Amino acid sequence: EEDSLSPFIRLQEKKKQAKLMQKTLEVKEEVFRERMKVITCRWRDLHAKEAQLKTYMEKLGSILKENDKMQIQALKKANRERERKMQKEMELLRAKRELEALRNKHQKLCNKVQKYSIFNKYLEGVVEISQFEEIQEVIWRYKTLVRMHKDLLQSQQGHKEISEQAKVLLDQYMVEKEAEILQYQNELVQLQLRFDQAQSDILHWETHWDNIQNTTAEKTLKLGTIKMAILNLFQ
């Protein structure tokens, strides 16, 4: 009986153990499900916080970019203001220099007016003793004479230049003609030499011709004599 009851008892114990394990497993599964719910909630919260953090970082980045942009614009504006200020200072310095130059020029003009005031008195005296009624007419007359004198000088200079050009052309023409004359003289000398040589050749050939004629006459005389001798011998 003990041997027959032992497997039954073990089976019952195994069943009890299986039920305990099943309950434990169910408890653990329940605990796991609860933990999974908690983890899921935390995961959702984490995703939400991550999305919020991402949005915050994007906003912060845009704010930083905007701040950088505003800072760069502020720096550019400061640089433009500095350049504008330097340009204004340079323009002011240039204006001061121009003003100083104008003052110096004005002082020089005043000195010249003071220096040339004697000529004004002289012109007033000229008007009094001449047919002119105002000093300006004297000045106009003087300018007219100066312009006429300048035109006359220019005309003389033009005639002088034309004369010099004509002289240069004449010199060139004379040089060219002298070269041609020299060439013709050389040719004439060559022709004279050739003429002298021809005269010498004519004299030589005339002498030779005379010799030929004399020889021919002697030969003819000898031939006639031979003919007469042959005729006499034949007779």
Side-chain angles (χ1 to χ4, degrees):
E1 289 178 358
E2 289 179 359
D3 292 336
S4 61
L5 289 173
S6 294
F8 180 75
I9 292 170
R10 286 195 297 271
L11 179 61
Q12 292 297 322
E13 289 178 356
K14 293 294 183 182
K15 287 182 178 181
K16 288 180 181 180
Q17 291 177 1
K19 288 181 180 180
L20 290 174
M21 290 179 66
Q22 182 68 29
K23 288 182 179 181
T24 304
L25 182 62
E26 288 177 357
V27 171
K28 288 185 176 181
E29 286 180 353
E30 186 66 25
V31 171
F32 179 75
R33 282 194 293 272
E34 293 295 330
R35 291 181 65 184
M36 286 300 296
K37 289 180 181 179
V38 173
I39 291 171
T40 302
C41 292
R42 289 182 178 178
W43 187 255
R44 289 175 181 173
D45 294 338
L46 182 62
H47 273 290
K49 289 181 179 180
E50 185 179 0
Q52 292 177 358
L53 181 61
K54 185 176 181 181
T55 304
Y56 175 74
M57 291 299 293
E58 290 177 354
K59 291 182 179 179
L60 181 62
S62 62
I63 292 171
L64 291 175
K65 288 181 179 178
E66 187 67 25
N67 290 333
D68 292 337
K69 186 177 180 181
M70 292 176 65
Q71 187 176 4
I72 292 171
Q73 290 178 355
L75 290 174
K76 288 182 178 179
K77 185 177 180 181
N79 290 328
R80 286 196 297 270
E81 291 294 333
R82 191 181 301 109
E83 292 177 356
R84 191 178 296 110
K85 183 178 179 181
M86 291 177 63
Q87 186 176 3
K88 293 293 184 182
E89 290 178 353
M90 291 178 65
E91 290 178 355
L92 181 61
L93 182 60
R94 191 182 301 110
K96 288 182 179 179
R97 290 177 180 175
E98 291 178 355
L99 180 61
E100 186 65 25
L102 289 173
R103 286 176 179 174
N104 294 329
K105 187 175 181 180
H106 179 263
Q107 186 62 37
K108 290 180 180 179
L109 289 174
C110 290
N111 294 332
K112 283 185 178 181
V113 170
Q114 185 67 27
K115 181 179 178 180
Y116 296 150
S117 61
I118 185 173
F119 297 104
N120 189 27
K121 294 180 181 179
Y122 173 76
L123 291 174
E124 289 177 354
V126 171
V127 170
E128 291 178 357
I129 62 174
S130 65
Q131 73 274 15
F132 299 104
E133 296 180 358
E134 295 181 356
I135 295 177
Q136 190 63 39
E137 294 181 359
V138 178
I139 295 173
W140 288 340
R141 180 61 176 172
Y142 172 76
K143 289 183 177 179
T144 303
L145 293 175
V146 170
R147 186 169 58 253
M148 291 175 64
H149 180 67
K150 185 178 180 180
D151 294 338
L152 182 60
L153 290 177
Q154 290 179 353
S155 178
Q156 289 179 354
Q157 184 67 27
H159 288 301
K160 184 178 179 181
E161 291 178 356
I162 293 172
S163 177
E164 290 178 354
Q165 292 177 359
K167 184 179 179 182
V168 171
L169 293 174
L170 180 61
D171 292 337
Q172 292 178 355
Y173 180 77
M174 292 296 293
V175 170
E176 292 176 357
K177 292 304 177 183
E178 287 178 356
E180 290 180 1
I181 290 171
L182 182 61
Q183 183 179 357
Y184 290 150
Q185 288 177 353
N186 293 329
E187 292 179 357
L188 183 60
V189 170
Q190 294 293 330
L191 292 173
Q192 185 66 38
L193 292 174
R194 291 173 63 183
F195 179 75
D196 294 338
Q197 184 66 35
Q199 290 289 338
S200 178
D201 293 339
I202 290 171
L203 182 61
H204 172 72
W205 287 109
E206 286 180 350
T207 304
H208 185 64
W209 177 249
D210 291 337
N211 292 329
I212 291 172
Q213 287 181 345
N214 293 328
T215 302
T216 303
E218 291 178 355
K219 296 293 184 180
T220 302
L221 182 60
K222 287 181 179 182
L223 181 60
T225 303
I226 290 169
K227 285 181 178 180
M228 289 297 294
I230 290 171
L231 182 59
N232 290 330
L233 290 173
F234 179 75
Q235 291 178 353

